[in-house]
Amino acid sequence: CKCDLHRLEEGPPEKAELTRDQGLQYYRTMQTIRRMELKADQLYKQKIIRGFCHLYDGQEACAAGIEAGINPTDHLITAYRAHGYTYTRGVSVKEILAELTGRKGGVAKGKGGSMHMYAPCFYGGNGIVGAQVPLGAGIALACQYQGNNQLCVSLYGDGAANQGQLFEAYNMAALWKLPCIFICENNKYGMGTSVERAAASTDYYKRGDYIPGLRVDGMDVLCVREATKFAADHCRSGKGPIVMELQTYRYHGHSMSDPGVSYRTREEIQEVRSKSDPISMLKERMLSHNMASVEEFKEMDVEIRKEVEEAAQFATSDPEPPLDDLCNHIFYNNPPLEVRGTHPWAKLKSLS
Protein backbone atom coordinates (compact mmCIF):
# COMPACT_ATOMS: atom_id res chain seq x y z
CA CYS A 1 0.00 0.00 0.00
CA LYS A 2 1.68 3.18 -1.07
CA CYS A 3 1.04 6.11 1.15
CA ASP A 4 1.73 9.86 0.94
CA LEU A 5 2.89 11.34 4.24
CA HIS A 6 2.77 14.80 5.79
CA ARG A 7 4.85 15.61 8.91
CA LEU A 8 5.42 11.92 9.57
CA GLU A 9 8.77 10.13 9.71
CA GLU A 10 7.22 6.83 8.72
CA GLY A 11 3.79 5.62 7.70
CA PRO A 12 1.83 2.38 7.84
CA PRO A 13 3.60 -0.83 6.69
CA GLU A 14 3.90 -1.28 2.91
CA LYS A 15 2.73 -4.88 3.09
CA ALA A 16 -0.53 -6.01 4.68
CA GLU A 17 -1.52 -9.51 5.72
CA LEU A 18 -4.92 -10.87 4.87
CA THR A 19 -6.31 -14.11 6.26
CA ARG A 20 -8.98 -16.04 4.40
CA ASP A 21 -11.60 -15.30 7.06
CA GLN A 22 -10.83 -11.58 7.03
CA GLY A 23 -11.04 -11.49 3.24
CA LEU A 24 -14.42 -13.20 3.20
CA GLN A 25 -15.66 -10.95 5.98
CA TYR A 26 -14.61 -7.74 4.17
CA TYR A 27 -16.14 -9.05 0.95
CA ARG A 28 -19.44 -9.78 2.69
CA THR A 29 -19.51 -6.35 4.33
CA MET A 30 -18.78 -4.45 1.13
CA GLN A 31 -21.09 -6.52 -1.04
CA THR A 32 -23.93 -6.14 1.49
CA ILE A 33 -23.52 -2.35 1.45
CA ARG A 34 -23.45 -2.40 -2.37
CA ARG A 35 -26.64 -4.49 -2.62
CA MET A 36 -28.38 -2.43 0.05
CA GLU A 37 -27.60 0.83 -1.78
CA LEU A 38 -28.79 -0.57 -5.11
CA LYS A 39 -32.00 -1.63 -3.40
CA ALA A 40 -32.39 1.87 -1.93
CA ASP A 41 -31.95 3.27 -5.44
CA GLN A 42 -34.73 1.00 -6.68
CA LEU A 43 -37.10 1.88 -3.80
CA TYR A 44 -36.40 5.57 -4.37
CA LYS A 45 -37.29 5.30 -8.06
CA GLN A 46 -40.53 3.58 -7.03
CA LYS A 47 -41.22 6.59 -4.76
CA ILE A 48 -41.24 4.34 -1.68
CA ILE A 49 -38.21 6.17 -0.26
CA ARG A 50 -38.58 9.95 -0.46
CA GLY A 51 -36.62 13.06 0.43
CA PHE A 52 -32.85 13.18 0.78
CA CYS A 53 -30.98 10.03 -0.12
CA HIS A 54 -27.20 9.93 -0.66
CA LEU A 55 -25.87 6.54 -1.76
CA TYR A 56 -22.51 5.02 -0.83
CA ASP A 57 -21.87 2.56 -3.67
CA GLY A 58 -18.27 2.80 -4.86
CA GLN A 59 -16.92 3.90 -1.50
CA GLU A 60 -17.47 0.62 0.41
CA ALA A 61 -13.76 0.00 1.03
CA CYS A 62 -13.62 3.15 3.18
CA ALA A 63 -16.30 2.03 5.65
CA ALA A 64 -15.15 -1.61 5.71
CA GLY A 65 -11.46 -0.71 6.04
CA ILE A 66 -11.96 1.87 8.78
CA GLU A 67 -14.11 -0.53 10.81
CA ALA A 68 -11.42 -3.22 10.45
CA GLY A 69 -8.80 -0.80 11.81
CA ILE A 70 -10.57 0.38 14.97
CA ASN A 71 -12.47 -1.27 17.85
CA PRO A 72 -16.27 -1.45 18.12
CA THR A 73 -15.95 0.61 21.33
CA ASP A 74 -14.25 3.46 19.43
CA HIS A 75 -16.50 6.23 18.20
CA LEU A 76 -17.44 7.32 14.69
CA ILE A 77 -19.34 10.27 13.25
CA THR A 78 -19.95 11.03 9.59
CA ALA A 79 -21.80 13.33 7.16
CA TYR A 80 -25.04 12.50 5.36
CA ARG A 81 -23.74 9.69 3.10
CA ALA A 82 -24.16 7.45 6.10
CA HIS A 83 -25.82 4.15 5.12
CA GLY A 84 -22.52 2.26 4.82
CA TYR A 85 -21.24 3.34 8.23
CA THR A 86 -24.58 2.64 9.87
CA TYR A 87 -24.21 -0.93 8.63
CA THR A 88 -20.54 -1.36 9.63
CA ARG A 89 -21.36 0.02 13.09
CA GLY A 90 -23.73 -2.88 13.64
CA VAL A 91 -27.20 -1.89 12.39
CA SER A 92 -28.99 -4.51 10.27
CA VAL A 93 -29.94 -3.97 6.62
CA LYS A 94 -33.56 -4.43 7.68
CA GLU A 95 -33.43 -1.53 10.15
CA ILE A 96 -31.61 0.71 7.67
CA LEU A 97 -34.04 0.14 4.80
CA ALA A 98 -37.03 0.51 7.15
CA GLU A 99 -35.58 3.83 8.30
CA LEU A 100 -35.26 4.94 4.69
CA THR A 101 -38.92 4.13 4.09
CA GLY A 102 -39.90 5.90 7.34
CA ARG A 103 -41.34 2.88 9.13
CA LYS A 104 -41.70 2.02 12.81
CA GLY A 105 -39.09 -0.75 12.63
CA GLY A 106 -36.40 1.60 11.33
CA VAL A 107 -33.26 2.18 13.39
CA ALA A 108 -34.50 5.66 14.41
CA LYS A 109 -38.13 4.50 14.62
CA GLY A 110 -38.80 5.94 11.16
CA LYS A 111 -38.23 9.52 12.32
CA GLY A 112 -34.68 10.03 11.10
CA GLY A 113 -34.54 8.91 7.50
CA SER A 114 -31.47 8.59 5.32
CA MET A 115 -29.28 11.22 7.00
CA HIS A 116 -30.08 10.57 10.66
CA MET A 117 -29.35 7.02 11.75
CA TYR A 118 -27.55 6.16 14.98
CA ALA A 119 -26.13 3.21 16.91
CA PRO A 120 -24.00 2.72 20.04
CA CYS A 121 -20.70 4.59 19.43
CA PHE A 122 -22.07 5.89 16.12
CA TYR A 123 -23.18 9.51 16.21
CA GLY A 124 -24.93 9.40 12.96
CA GLY A 125 -25.23 10.90 9.69
CA ASN A 126 -25.37 14.67 9.98
CA GLY A 127 -27.22 16.84 7.49
CA ILE A 128 -25.28 20.09 7.89
CA VAL A 129 -22.13 20.19 5.75
CA GLY A 130 -19.03 19.95 7.95
CA ALA A 131 -20.92 20.23 11.26
CA GLN A 132 -20.03 16.68 12.33
CA VAL A 133 -16.30 17.48 12.45
CA PRO A 134 -16.32 19.72 15.57
CA LEU A 135 -18.78 17.26 17.13
CA GLY A 136 -16.25 14.50 16.49
CA ALA A 137 -13.54 16.58 18.18
CA GLY A 138 -15.93 16.92 21.13
CA ILE A 139 -16.41 13.15 21.27
CA ALA A 140 -12.60 12.79 21.25
CA LEU A 141 -12.46 15.28 24.13
CA ALA A 142 -14.90 13.05 26.03
CA CYS A 143 -12.66 10.03 25.36
CA GLN A 144 -9.65 11.93 26.69
CA TYR A 145 -11.62 13.23 29.69
CA GLN A 146 -12.84 9.74 30.60
CA GLY A 147 -9.37 8.29 30.03
CA ASN A 148 -10.76 5.15 28.41
CA ASN A 149 -8.14 4.84 25.63
CA GLN A 150 -10.85 5.21 23.00
CA LEU A 151 -10.77 7.51 19.99
CA CYS A 152 -13.15 9.20 17.57
CA VAL A 153 -13.15 8.97 13.79
CA SER A 154 -14.56 12.17 12.24
CA LEU A 155 -15.45 11.80 8.59
CA TYR A 156 -16.17 14.48 6.00
CA GLY A 157 -16.04 14.80 2.22
CA ASP A 158 -13.89 16.87 -0.11
CA GLY A 159 -16.86 19.26 -0.37
CA ALA A 160 -16.81 20.01 3.35
CA ALA A 161 -13.01 20.27 3.48
CA ASN A 162 -13.09 24.03 2.82
CA GLN A 163 -15.41 24.78 5.76
CA GLY A 164 -14.03 27.11 8.42
CA GLN A 165 -15.36 25.00 11.28
CA LEU A 166 -12.97 22.17 10.29
CA PHE A 167 -9.96 24.36 10.92
CA GLU A 168 -11.35 25.52 14.28
CA ALA A 169 -11.77 21.87 15.25
CA TYR A 170 -8.24 21.03 14.01
CA ASN A 171 -6.81 23.83 16.17
CA MET A 172 -8.51 22.74 19.38
CA ALA A 173 -7.77 19.07 18.72
CA ALA A 174 -4.07 19.79 18.19
CA LEU A 175 -3.89 22.16 21.14
CA TRP A 176 -5.43 19.62 23.53
CA LYS A 177 -3.92 16.54 21.81
CA LEU A 178 -7.33 14.96 21.32
CA PRO A 179 -7.52 11.32 20.13
CA CYS A 180 -9.29 12.20 16.89
CA ILE A 181 -8.74 10.83 13.38
CA PHE A 182 -10.01 13.39 10.89
CA ILE A 183 -10.78 11.52 7.67
CA CYS A 184 -11.52 13.19 4.37
CA GLU A 185 -13.32 10.81 2.02
CA ASN A 186 -12.27 12.45 -1.22
CA ASN A 187 -14.66 11.14 -3.88
CA LYS A 188 -13.50 13.81 -6.37
CA TYR A 189 -16.75 15.80 -6.45
CA GLY A 190 -18.52 18.02 -3.91
CA MET A 191 -22.06 17.79 -5.31
CA GLY A 192 -21.39 18.65 -8.97
CA THR A 193 -18.13 20.52 -8.49
CA SER A 194 -14.84 18.72 -9.08
CA VAL A 195 -12.13 19.11 -6.43
CA GLU A 196 -9.93 21.04 -8.88
CA ARG A 197 -12.64 23.68 -9.33
CA ALA A 198 -13.41 23.94 -5.60
CA ALA A 199 -10.07 23.81 -3.79
CA ALA A 200 -6.86 25.80 -4.23
CA SER A 201 -5.06 22.78 -2.80
CA THR A 202 -6.41 19.29 -3.32
CA ASP A 203 -3.85 17.75 -0.94
CA TYR A 204 -6.45 17.32 1.76
CA TYR A 205 -4.12 15.26 3.96
CA LYS A 206 -1.84 18.32 4.27
CA ARG A 207 -4.68 20.63 5.22
CA GLY A 208 -4.12 20.09 8.93
CA ASP A 209 -0.86 22.05 8.47
CA TYR A 210 0.61 21.46 11.95
CA ILE A 211 -1.26 18.12 12.23
CA PRO A 212 0.39 15.05 10.65
CA GLY A 213 -1.45 13.54 7.72
CA LEU A 214 -1.45 10.60 5.33
CA ARG A 215 -3.15 9.81 2.04
CA VAL A 216 -4.04 6.32 0.83
CA ASP A 217 -6.03 4.56 -1.86
CA GLY A 218 -9.59 4.52 -0.55
CA MET A 219 -10.61 1.86 -3.08
CA ASP A 220 -8.35 -0.76 -1.47
CA VAL A 221 -9.81 -2.14 1.74
CA LEU A 222 -6.40 -3.35 2.99
CA CYS A 223 -4.73 0.05 2.47
CA VAL A 224 -7.58 1.71 4.35
CA ARG A 225 -7.34 -0.82 7.19
CA GLU A 226 -3.57 -0.45 7.60
CA ALA A 227 -3.72 3.36 7.45
CA THR A 228 -6.54 3.38 10.02
CA LYS A 229 -4.60 1.08 12.38
CA PHE A 230 -1.58 3.37 12.03
CA ALA A 231 -3.67 6.47 12.73
CA ALA A 232 -5.38 4.79 15.69
CA ASP A 233 -2.02 3.87 17.25
CA HIS A 234 -0.89 7.47 16.74
CA CYS A 235 -3.94 8.77 18.64
CA ARG A 236 -3.83 6.20 21.43
CA SER A 237 -0.16 6.88 22.13
CA GLY A 238 -1.08 10.44 23.10
CA LYS A 239 0.37 12.19 20.03
CA GLY A 240 -2.86 14.03 19.34
CA PRO A 241 -4.96 14.15 16.17
CA ILE A 242 -4.08 12.97 12.68
CA VAL A 243 -5.59 13.75 9.27
CA MET A 244 -6.23 11.01 6.74
CA GLU A 245 -7.34 11.32 3.12
CA LEU A 246 -8.96 8.40 1.34
CA GLN A 247 -9.07 8.73 -2.45
CA THR A 248 -12.33 7.14 -3.45
CA TYR A 249 -15.21 7.49 -5.91
CA ARG A 250 -18.99 7.40 -5.86
CA TYR A 251 -20.87 5.70 -8.69
CA HIS A 252 -24.19 7.45 -8.06
CA GLY A 253 -24.80 11.17 -8.26
CA HIS A 254 -24.43 13.35 -5.17
CA SER A 255 -27.96 12.48 -4.12
CA MET A 256 -30.90 10.81 -5.82
CA SER A 257 -31.88 14.14 -7.39
CA ASP A 258 -28.54 14.27 -9.24
CA PRO A 259 -28.23 11.97 -12.27
CA GLY A 260 -24.46 12.33 -11.82
CA VAL A 261 -23.52 12.59 -15.49
CA SER A 262 -23.76 16.32 -16.21
CA TYR A 263 -20.37 17.15 -14.65
CA ARG A 264 -18.53 13.93 -15.46
CA THR A 265 -18.72 11.44 -18.31
CA ARG A 266 -20.28 8.00 -18.19
CA GLU A 267 -16.93 6.74 -19.47
CA GLU A 268 -15.16 8.10 -16.38
CA ILE A 269 -17.55 6.23 -14.09
CA GLN A 270 -17.20 3.07 -16.20
CA GLU A 271 -13.42 3.29 -16.06
CA VAL A 272 -13.35 3.45 -12.27
CA ARG A 273 -15.82 0.55 -12.11
CA SER A 274 -13.69 -1.62 -14.37
CA LYS A 275 -10.26 -0.71 -13.00
CA SER A 276 -10.59 -0.02 -9.28
CA ASP A 277 -13.89 -1.29 -7.93
CA PRO A 278 -13.21 -2.13 -4.27
CA ILE A 279 -15.27 -5.33 -4.32
CA SER A 280 -13.90 -6.72 -7.61
CA MET A 281 -10.33 -5.90 -6.56
CA LEU A 282 -10.63 -7.84 -3.29
CA LYS A 283 -12.34 -10.75 -5.04
CA GLU A 284 -9.66 -10.94 -7.78
CA ARG A 285 -6.91 -10.74 -5.19
CA MET A 286 -8.38 -13.63 -3.20
CA LEU A 287 -9.04 -15.76 -6.28
CA SER A 288 -5.52 -15.26 -7.67
CA HIS A 289 -4.04 -16.38 -4.34
CA ASN A 290 -6.40 -19.38 -4.11
CA MET A 291 -7.87 -18.05 -0.88
CA ALA A 292 -11.42 -18.75 -1.97
CA SER A 293 -13.30 -20.23 -4.91
CA VAL A 294 -15.65 -18.61 -7.41
CA GLU A 295 -18.42 -20.84 -6.00
CA GLU A 296 -17.95 -19.46 -2.49
CA PHE A 297 -18.33 -15.89 -3.74
CA LYS A 298 -21.41 -16.88 -5.74
CA GLU A 299 -22.93 -18.54 -2.67
CA MET A 300 -22.25 -15.45 -0.58
CA ASP A 301 -23.80 -13.20 -3.25
CA VAL A 302 -26.97 -15.31 -3.20
CA GLU A 303 -27.18 -15.08 0.61
CA ILE A 304 -26.66 -11.31 0.51
CA ARG A 305 -29.31 -10.80 -2.18
CA LYS A 306 -31.75 -12.84 -0.10
CA GLU A 307 -30.99 -10.82 3.04
CA VAL A 308 -31.48 -7.52 1.20
CA GLU A 309 -34.64 -8.77 -0.50
CA GLU A 310 -36.15 -9.80 2.86
CA ALA A 311 -35.12 -6.47 4.37
CA ALA A 312 -36.85 -4.64 1.52
CA GLN A 313 -40.00 -6.72 2.05
CA PHE A 314 -40.00 -5.67 5.70
CA ALA A 315 -39.26 -2.03 4.84
CA THR A 316 -42.26 -1.88 2.52
CA SER A 317 -44.73 -3.76 4.72
CA ASP A 318 -43.85 -2.48 8.21
CA PRO A 319 -46.34 0.18 9.41
CA GLU A 320 -45.46 3.86 9.65
CA PRO A 321 -45.19 5.21 13.21
CA PRO A 322 -48.57 6.37 14.60
CA LEU A 323 -49.31 10.08 15.01
CA ASP A 324 -49.28 9.66 18.82
CA ASP A 325 -45.52 9.05 18.60
CA LEU A 326 -44.90 12.32 16.81
CA CYS A 327 -43.63 14.28 19.82
CA ASN A 328 -41.98 11.48 21.77
CA HIS A 329 -38.32 11.66 22.78
CA ILE A 330 -38.06 15.44 22.62
CA PHE A 331 -36.20 15.21 25.91
CA TYR A 332 -34.15 12.30 27.10
CA ASN A 333 -35.72 11.66 30.51
CA ASN A 334 -38.41 14.17 31.39
CA PRO A 335 -41.85 13.46 32.84
CA PRO A 336 -44.48 13.43 30.07
CA LEU A 337 -45.03 16.97 28.83
CA GLU A 338 -47.64 18.66 26.68
CA VAL A 339 -46.49 19.98 23.34
CA ARG A 340 -48.35 22.77 21.58
CA GLY A 341 -50.01 21.55 18.42
CA THR A 342 -50.93 23.28 15.20
CA HIS A 343 -53.92 25.06 16.76
CA PRO A 344 -54.86 26.03 20.33
CA TRP A 345 -56.88 22.85 20.96
CA ALA A 346 -54.36 20.36 19.68
CA LYS A 347 -52.67 18.76 22.65
CA LEU A 348 -49.81 16.39 21.95
CA LYS A 349 -48.07 14.30 24.59
CA SER A 350 -44.34 13.80 24.65
CA LEU A 351 -42.99 10.73 26.43
CA SER A 352 -39.29 10.13 26.94
Side-chain angles (χ1 to χ4, degrees), residues 16-30:
E17 268 184 35
L18 178 71
T19 66
R20 177 183 138 85
D21 288 350
Q22 284 172 337
L24 294 173
Q25 184 200 336
Y26 303 159
Y27 179 85
R28 183 180 288 272
T29 299
M30 294 196 289

Side-chain angles (χ1 to χ4, degrees), residues 27-29 31-33 35-36 39 87 90-97 299-315:
Y27 179 85
R28 183 180 288 272
T29 299
Q31 185 71 327
T32 303
I33 296 172
R35 287 274 141 230
M36 175 174 80
K39 179 52 76 178
Y87 178 73
V91 179
S92 67
V93 178
K94 185 171 122 174
E95 288 176 289
I96 294 170
L97 288 181
E299 229 167 88
M300 220 187 298
D301 292 345
V302 170
E303 284 167 24
I304 291 165
R305 267 173 207 256
K306 186 167 173 270
E307 181 190 353
V308 172
E309 212 40 68
E310 282 167 6
Q313 288 290 291
F314 174 76

Side-chain angles (χ1 to χ4, degrees), residues 186-309:
N186 177 2
N187 62 18
K188 315 282 188 287
Y189 298 93
M191 296 191 71
T193 309
S194 69
V195 289
E196 293 79 21
R197 288 176 55 218
S201 160
T202 56
D203 290 337
Y204 296 106
Y205 70 111
K206 293 181 178 172
R207 288 283 194 95
D209 186 18
Y210 41 81
I211 299 175
L214 63 159
R215 174 169 65 191
V216 290
D217 179 3
M219 300 301 263
D220 185 332
V221 70
L222 289 187
C223 289
V224 177
R225 183 191 74 182
E226 292 308 308
T228 306
K229 279 184 179 169
F230 174 85
D233 290 343
H234 176 96
C235 288
R236 287 193 226 277
S237 63
K239 292 179 189 161
I242 188 165
V243 175
M244 215 163 110
E245 178 187 342
L246 305 177
Q247 291 183 305
T248 182
Y249 200 83
R250 58 168 158 80
Y251 296 153
H252 263 88
H254 167 73
S255 69
M256 289 302 292
S257 55
D258 164 26
V261 287
S262 58
Y263 49 87
R264 55 182 187 177
T265 61
R266 289 180 197 274
E267 290 74 49
E268 178 184 305
I269 304 168
Q270 233 6 80
E271 189 182 12
V272 177
R273 263 187 200 279
S274 59
K275 287 191 180 150
S276 45
D277 182 79
I279 300 173
S280 312
M281 285 203 317
L282 176 67
K283 184 177 173 179
E284 291 310 314
R285 191 181 270 169
M286 289 185 71
L287 288 173
S288 64
H289 288 85
N290 296 323
M291 291 171 80
S293 66
V294 178
E295 283 66 43
E296 283 177 289
F297 286 118
K298 278 210 179 105
E299 229 167 88
M300 220 187 298
D301 292 345
V302 170
E303 284 167 24
I304 291 165
R305 267 173 207 256
K306 186 167 173 270
E307 181 190 353
V308 172
E309 212 40 68

